[in-house]
């Protein structure tokens, strides 16, 4: 995860208070206790952030990622609570239209999109027209 997130320090400082916010009054939930215990044993960073007891429910923001094939990406995210799922959250990511991140995402999508016959595209077939939907 450290290799994926360019903004590791900022990202972890956002995620731990968010975990506290979604845990809410359920802080004694056995699964949460297990997760917090495991993370505390494995990560000094997590232990420090958890001990602060910060609670923040931020549902939108920007993540700076470093994809192994696409390179650096600046993606905006939005977290949406899925009703009736016991607290599951859907997180969507998108790049600013016209940005280098959008172009990198289009290239990445074209590299891994199946062709019209069910196979994958040949490695050299990476043509994407900006502003048009991916095939």
């Amino acid at each position: 995860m450290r290799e994926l997130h360019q903004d590791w320090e900022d990202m972890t400082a956002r995620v731990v208070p968010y975990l506290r916010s979604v845990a809410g009054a359920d802080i004694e939930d056995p699964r949460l206790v297990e997760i917090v215990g495991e993370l505390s044993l494995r990560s000094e960073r997590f232990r420090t952030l958890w001990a602060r007891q910060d609670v923040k429910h931020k549902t939108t923001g920007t993540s700076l990622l470093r994809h192994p094939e696409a390179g650096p990406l600046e993606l905006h995210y939005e977290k949406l609570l899925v009703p009736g799922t016991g607290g599951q959250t859907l997180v969507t990511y998108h790049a600013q239209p016209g940005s280098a991140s959008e172009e990198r995402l289009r290239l990445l999508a074209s590299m891994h999109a199946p062709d019209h016959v069910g196979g994958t595209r040949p490695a050299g077939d990476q043509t994407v027209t900006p502003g048009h939907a991916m095939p």
Side-chain angles (χ1 to χ4, degrees):
M1 290 302 287
R2 286 178 197 256
E3 291 176 18
L4 176 63
H5 290 274
Q6 297 178 53
D7 60 344
W8 178 256
E9 296 296 316
D10 291 337
M11 186 276 299
T12 55
R14 288 188 315 262
V15 169
V16 175
Y18 181 78
L19 176 59
R20 276 197 178 276
S21 78
V22 295
D26 234 1
I27 201 76
E28 300 299 322
D29 176 86
R31 181 68 179 129
L32 178 65
V33 170
E34 178 184 347
I35 290 169
V36 168
E38 183 176 337
L39 289 171
S40 295
L41 288 173
R42 293 179 182 222
S43 170
E44 182 178 345
R45 174 88 174 136
F46 179 83
R47 281 192 307 274
T48 300
L49 292 170
W50 189 257
R52 289 184 189 172
Q53 298 187 9
D54 292 340
V55 178
K56 293 180 186 163
H57 193 80
K58 186 174 180 188
T59 58
T60 62
T62 302
S63 286
L64 302 176
L65 305 174
R66 189 180 309 112
H67 191 278
E69 293 176 307
L73 298 168
E74 180 176 333
L75 301 178
H76 304 281
Y77 66 84
E78 184 169 358
K79 297 176 184 176
L80 306 165
L81 187 62
V82 180
T85 61
Q88 288 186 8
T89 303
L90 172 67
V91 183
T92 63
Y93 290 89
H94 68 277
Q96 185 72 26
S99 68
S101 292
E102 181 187 44
E103 291 303 314
R104 289 183 183 112
L105 284 178
R106 287 184 183 281
L107 177 61
L108 187 62
S110 70
M111 290 168 44
H112 296 283
D115 66 16
H116 66 304
V117 208
T120 56
R121 295 179 184 277
D125 186 8
Q126 299 177 357
T127 304
V128 177
T129 306
H132 291 83
M134 296 301 300

